[in-house]
Amino acid sequence: MTRMVAEDVARTGSGPAPLLTVRDLCTWYFSNEGVVHAVDGVNFDVHAGRTLGIVGESGCGKSVTARSILRIVEKPGRIVRGSIHLHPPAGQGEPRDLVQLREDGPEMRAIQGGDIALVFQEPMTSFSPVHTVGNQIIETIRLHDRSMTKALARDRAIEMLQMVGIPRAERRVDEFAYQLSGGLRQRAMIALALACNPRLLIADEPTTALDVTTQAQILELLKRLQAERGMAIMLITHNLGVIAEMADDVAVMYLGRVVEHAPVRELFRSPQHPYTRALLRSIPSLHVPPRQALATIEGTVPHPLNRPSGCPFHPRCEVAIAGTCESHVPDLLPIGTGPAPALVSCFLHHPFGDGARQETN
Amino acid sequence: MMAFLIRRIVLALITTLAVSMLSFLIIQLPPGDYITSYIAAQSASGSVVSEEEAQNLRKLYGLDQPHYVQYFRWLGQVVQGNFGQSMEWRRPVGEVIGDRLGLTMIVSLAALVFTWLLALPIGIYSAVRQYSIGDYIVTFIGFIGLAVPGFMIALLILYFGFKYFNLNVGGLFSLEYAQAPWSLGKAWDLAKHLPIPALILGLSGMAQGIRIMRANLLDELRKPYVMTARARGLHPAWVVLKYPVRVALNPFASTIGYTLPYIVSGSIIVSLVLSLPTVGPVLLKALVAQDMFLAGTIVLLLGCLTVVGTLLSDIILVLIDPRIRLEGK
Ligand SMILES: Nc1ncnc2c1ncn2[C@@H]1O[C@H](COP(=O)(O)OP(=O)(O)OP(=O)(O)O)[C@@H](O)[C@H]1O
Ligand code: SF4
Ligand SMILES: [Mg+2]
C-alpha cells in the first residue's frame, strides 16, 4: 500500500510527500432515477502549508469530494472506488487510507475535526440554531482531547474566537450564531474548525455568502492563519479571482473528474485543457464594457444522470478529436518534465493509444 | 422574554373571556329560558305556575335584565365557583362534574404522556431510517391509528380482552373501589386501569405525533449544521440526538396545548364505550337533554383547558428555543 502511494508521489513528482493523496475517487449516488456519478475518478494531492484551489462549475462534484474526504457522504451516496491517503507527519507511522476506515468508527472520528476540519459556505445554518457558539466549540475541543476540563476548553474557545478576530470574545462565546453578523459568524465557524489544530482545512466556498469587503477579510484571515500554523487548505470555489489570490495549486474539475491540476501561475499563464481555457475566457476582464454579456462556455453542463461517454467534456469541446474523444476516457497525466509538471486529462496532450486508458463506455 | 410572556398571558385572558361569552351563548341558545323549562317541568308533574309567579321568578333570577347584564352576573357567579344548577341531575353543576373533572385530567395526562413516550422515539427512528422496512411499518401503523376511530379500537380491545383473557377492561376502577373514598389502594387500582384507556385515547395523537416528528426531523437532518457536526467527529447517533432532534422538538412541544383538550373532547365516545367516569359522556348527555348550564360549564372548562394548554406550550417553547427566548431582548 505504501509502495503504491510512494510510486504515485514519484509519478506526480510534486516535491515533498503530500499530506493527502486522492486517487481515482468515485462517489456515486444511487437514487431511484439512476446512479449519479457525482465524483468519478478524482485525483489530486494536498501539501502541508499550501493551498489547493478546487474550481469548477456548479454540480461538478466539488462539495461531494470534500464530503468524501471527511467520510460524511450522505445517503444514498457511497464511495465506490478509489483511495484517500492521509499521511502522518514525517516519521510518525504509515499513511492511512480513509476510504478503508469505518465512517463512524473511532479512527475516522478522530480524524474528523481533528486532522481534517471543514468550513461551509453557509455560516448561519452551519451552526445549530439552539446551541451557543461556545457550546459547539467546547464540545469539539473536549471530544478530541479527553483531558480537557470544561473550564480549560472554554478558555481555549475564547482564545480561538479572539484569534479569528472576534471582538469581546468572552461574551460572544455565549451567544447564538444568529446573533452574530455574517462576517463574524464565518469567523466563528473558522474558530470552530481550527479548535483542534487540524493539519488540513477544507473550506467549501467559505466566502460566497458574504459581501465583497467581508469576503476579502475572511480570505485574509485564512491566509494569516495558514502562515501561522502551517496547515494545508483545500479551498473550493467557483470564483477564479479567489483562486488567483489564494491558491498555490489548482485542480480544475469537470463532471466529477479533475481535468487539469497545475501550479496557479502556470494555470493562468498557459492553461492546457480546453475546459480550463474556456473557463478562463469566461472571466469578466477590465476591457469588457459594462453590461455587455460575459463570454460563457458554449453549451450547458449535461444532466448528472446523462453523462456523456468518453471524455466528459467532448459535447462542449471545440477541438474534440472525432472517433476518439466520444468513446475513450483520457487519463490525468503529466505534461512536460520538471519537478512539478502540470497534469492534464486530454487526448490533445496525450494522443490516444499513447498511455491513455483504453476504456470504452 | 418577559414581554413575550406578558403578551401571551394577556392574549390568554382575552381568549378566556371570548370562550366564556361563547359558553354563555350556549346556555342562552335554546328558545325560552330557565323559567320556561321550569314551567314545562312543573306542568309535566301536574302543578301549574301562574304568569305572575313566572314574572316574579324571572325578576328573582335577573332574567328580565338585558343579556349583557345577565352575562356579567353569570360570570360573577362562575368566578366564585358557582356554575348553576343542572336540570338533568337536579344538583349543582360543580357537584356533577367535580370528581369527573379530576379523573378526566388524569386520563388525559396519561394519554398525553403515552403519546409522547412512544411518538418521539418512533418518529426519530422513522426519520433516521427513512424508507427502511421499519419506517414503512411504522408509517402504516400510524395511518391506521389516524384512520380507525378510537371507539372502534376500544370495542375491539374490550371484545378480545374479554374473549381470550377473560379481562374486563372497562372503567377506571374495580368494583370494590368504584364508590369507595380515596385511598392508596384506590389510587393503585386506578393506575392499573389507566394504561388501556390512555393507550386508546393517545393512539391518534401518537400517530399524528410520529408524523410531525418524522417530517420535522427529515427537514432538520438535511440542514448543514448536521453535516458540520459530523465533520467535527461527533458520533452520528449523538449528532442526531443533540442537534436536529432538539430543533425538531420545538414544533412538537407547541402541539401539547392543542392535544390536551383534543384528547378530552375526543374521548367522549371512547369513554362511553369503556364506561370511563370522565366529563365526556356527561357533556354528551347534557347536550342531548338541553341541560344548558351543565353543557355551558363543560364547554367553558374545555375552552379554558385549551387556553391554559396553549399558554403552557408557549412557555415550553420559550424555555427550549433561544430564538424566541431572546427575541425582543
Ligand atoms: N444527495 C444527493 N443525491 C443525489 N445526487 C446528489 C446528492 N448530492 C449531490 N448530488 C449530485 O452530485 C453532483 C455534485 O454535487 P456537488 O454538490 O458536489 O457540486 P458542487 O461542485 O459542489 O456544486 P456547487 O458549486 O453548486 O456547490 C451534482 O450533480 C448533484 O446532482
Ligand atoms: S479529450 Fe477531446 S473532448 Fe476531451 S477535452 Fe481533450 S480534446 Fe476535448
Ligand atoms: Mg458545493
Side-chain angles (χ1 to χ4, degrees):
Chain A
M1 183 178 82
T2 332
R3 260 219 15 244
M4 188 204 90
V5 173
E7 275 170 16
D8 253 359
V9 174
R11 193 175 60 109
T12 55
S14 312
L19 181 68
L20 192 81
T21 34
V22 178
R23 289 294 173 269
D24 194 28
L25 180 66
C26 296
T27 305
W28 297 351
Y29 285 87
F30 298 85
S31 67
N32 289 334
E33 296 87 53
V35 181
V36 177
H37 295 216
V39 172
D40 204 25
V42 156
N43 296 289
F44 59 77
D45 295 342
V46 187
H47 293 270
R50 290 170 74 89
T51 299
L52 172 70
I54 300 210
V55 65
E57 282 164 294
S58 185
C60 70
K62 305 183 294 290
S63 298
V64 174
T65 302
R67 296 206 287 272
S68 303
I69 294 172
L70 276 158
R71 298 298 313 277
I72 52 170
V73 175
E74 74 284 23
K75 276 179 199 160
R78 186 154 56 80
I79 297 179
V80 293
R81 203 168 62 219
S83 68
I84 302 166
H85 278 94
L86 177 67
H87 301 254
Q92 289 182 26
E94 298 283 294
R96 276 175 298 177
D97 183 359
L98 306 188
V99 176
Q100 302 304 327
L101 299 181
R102 244 186 52 221
E103 64 176 16
D104 56 356
E107 247 191 305
M108 194 58 227
R109 285 195 289 119
I111 292 170
Q112 295 166 339
D115 294 272
I116 307 176
L118 179 67
V119 170
F120 261 152
Q121 171 177 346
E122 280 290 333
M124 179 69 172
T125 45
S126 296
F127 278 109
S128 157
V130 294
H131 296 87
T132 61
V133 170
N135 175 305
Q136 290 161 84
I137 302 182
I138 294 167
E139 173 185 50
T140 314
I141 293 174
R142 299 192 64 199
L143 184 74
H144 290 282
D145 183 353
R146 302 267 172 199
S147 67
M148 275 273 184
T149 64
K150 242 196 177 118
L152 276 178
R154 190 187 156 83
D155 290 344
R156 173 133 179 86
I158 294 173
E159 199 182 299
M160 292 307 298
L161 291 176
Q162 281 163 347
M163 190 191 70
V164 296
I166 294 184
R168 284 177 295 132
E170 58 296 333
R171 275 187 39 206
R172 297 293 193 187
V173 74
D174 293 320
E175 290 190 355
F176 294 88
Y178 62 87
Q179 293 173 283
L180 306 176
S181 68
L184 285 190
R185 234 178 259 147
Q186 193 60 299
R187 283 173 191 269
M189 196 67 219
I190 292 171
L192 174 58
L194 298 187
C196 300
N197 283 318
R199 293 192 290 140
L200 170 61
L201 177 71
I202 302 179
D204 191 348
E205 315 210 12
T207 57
T208 310
L210 306 173
D211 63 77
V212 182
T213 326
T214 323
Q215 188 169 339
Q217 287 168 355
I218 295 288
L219 293 178
E220 219 28 71
L221 173 70
L222 283 176
K223 263 189 183 168
R224 195 193 89 211
L225 293 170
Q226 181 176 38
E228 284 170 14
R229 306 166 148 243
M231 65 185 176
I233 296 180
M234 191 176 133
L235 182 69
I236 296 173
T237 175
H238 39 223
N239 185 336
L240 282 164
V242 171
I243 291 281
E245 187 184 340
M246 296 287 295
D248 299 303
D249 306 293
V250 187
V252 180
M253 281 185 71
Y254 186 77
L255 278 187
R257 294 177 69 85
V258 173
V259 295
E260 183 161 357
H261 186 319
V264 67
R265 296 237 323 262
E266 222 169 297
L267 187 97
F268 279 99
R269 201 179 51 215
S270 62
Q272 297 298 322
H273 195 280
Y275 175 66
T276 315
R277 289 182 186 161
L279 206 60
L280 289 178
R281 270 203 307 276
S282 73
I283 311 182
S285 85
L286 290 177
H287 311 299
V288 179
R291 299 204 160 269
Q292 183 177 326
L294 302 176
T296 46
I297 303 174
E298 200 58 35
T300 51
V301 184
H303 191 271
L305 280 171
N306 192 14
R307 288 173 57 86
S309 60
C311 169
F313 189 55
H314 87 258
R316 298 167 78 185
C317 183
E318 290 170 349
V319 290
I321 306 160
T324 302
C325 294
E326 63 273 22
S327 51
H328 300 276
V329 183
D331 265 340
L332 185 65
L333 297 170
I335 46 173
T337 46
L343 305 161
V344 179
S345 146
C346 174
F347 288 123
L348 288 178
H349 298 275
H350 305 95
F352 178 59
D354 189 19
R357 209 196 299 171
Q358 305 280 319
E359 181 182 309
T360 49
N361 55 4
Chain B
M1 176 182 165
M2 259 349 262
F4 174 83
L5 274 186
I6 290 170
R7 226 171 30 239
R8 285 302 147 128
I9 290 173
V10 168
L11 209 66
L13 285 177
I14 294 174
T15 318
T16 313
L17 217 61
V19 168
S20 74
M21 285 179 195
L22 199 72
S23 311
F24 184 71
L25 198 73
I26 291 175
I27 292 169
Q28 294 286 321
L29 215 49
D33 50 34
Y34 174 60
I35 301 308
T36 327
S37 339
Y38 175 73
I39 294 169
Q42 289 294 25
S43 57
S45 60
S47 49
V48 182
V49 183
S50 73
E51 191 55 32
E52 196 181 334
E53 213 174 328
Q55 284 306 332
N56 284 339
L57 274 173
R58 287 205 163 88
K59 240 193 199 108
L60 185 68
Y61 287 111
L63 295 180
D64 52 347
Q65 306 277 342
H67 277 86
Y68 68 92
V69 176
Q70 288 189 43
Y71 166 71
F72 281 113
R73 280 192 179 197
W74 172 77
L75 200 61
Q77 293 293 310
V78 164
V79 171
Q80 290 166 38
N82 182 4
F83 298 103
Q85 195 77 10
S86 159
M87 286 173 268
E88 179 79 2
W89 299 66
R90 302 197 171 280
R91 272 161 51 201
V93 168
E95 244 174 66
V96 175
I97 57 174
D99 228 20
R100 287 172 174 264
L101 204 62
L103 287 173
T104 307
M105 292 299 293
I106 291 175
V107 174
S108 309
L109 281 176
L112 199 65
V113 167
F114 163 79
T115 304
W116 274 60
L117 277 187
L118 287 182
L120 269 186
I122 295 177
I124 293 172
Y125 169 85
S126 211
V128 173
R129 296 254 179 281
Q130 191 191 11
Y131 302 139
S132 69
I133 294 173
D135 178 33
Y136 284 123
I137 293 175
V138 165
T139 310
F140 179 71
I141 293 178
F143 272 120
I144 291 191
L146 276 181
V148 180
F151 72 87
M152 193 79 161
I153 294 169
L155 279 174
L156 286 177
I157 290 185
L158 268 185
Y159 175 74
F160 286 109
F162 188 72
K163 187 163 179 201
Y164 294 108
F165 304 102
N166 202 21
L167 273 174
N168 188 3
V169 270
L172 280 179
F173 299 103
S174 313
L175 269 181
E176 63 263 38
Y177 284 114
Q179 300 300 328
W182 278 102
S183 65
L184 228 62
K186 184 170 179 173
W188 176 237
D189 188 52
L190 174 63
K192 277 193 297 192
H193 280 80
L194 213 47
I196 288 180
L199 190 128
I200 296 168
L201 288 176
L203 208 60
S204 74
M206 184 186 81
Q208 227 153 7
I210 291 175
R211 284 158 55 94
I212 294 176
M213 190 64 202
R214 182 177 182 273
N216 288 346
L217 193 52
L218 281 176
D219 272 355
E220 291 302 323
L221 283 172
R222 278 191 275 267
K223 300 264 172 80
Y225 67 83
V226 177
M227 205 164 268
T228 40
R230 291 260 334 256
R232 288 188 276 128
L234 288 135
H235 194 279
W238 174 241
V239 168
V240 171
L241 287 182
K242 179 172 175 186
Y243 296 100
V245 166
R246 176 67 208 282
V247 179
L249 266 181
N250 296 357
F252 202 71
S254 62
T255 59
I256 325 171
Y258 317 105
T259 319
L260 203 55
Y262 173 78
I263 290 177
V264 176
S265 55
S267 71
I268 296 178
I269 299 176
V270 173
S271 296
L272 277 177
V273 172
L274 289 177
S275 48
L276 303 180
T278 57
V279 291
V282 177
L283 174 61
L284 191 66
K285 266 196 232 160
L287 286 172
V288 171
Q290 292 205 354
D291 191 348
M292 284 314 147
F293 276 102
L294 188 54
T297 304
I298 295 178
V299 168
L300 178 68
L301 290 176
L302 284 184
C304 289
L305 204 62
T306 315
V307 173
V308 170
T310 313
L311 194 63
L312 268 183
S313 20
D314 280 346
I315 292 174
I316 293 176
L317 210 54
V318 167
L319 289 181
I320 64 176
D321 194 334
R323 284 170 296 188
I324 299 175
R325 187 160 69 224
L326 296 161
E327 169 193 289
K329 185 177 153 183

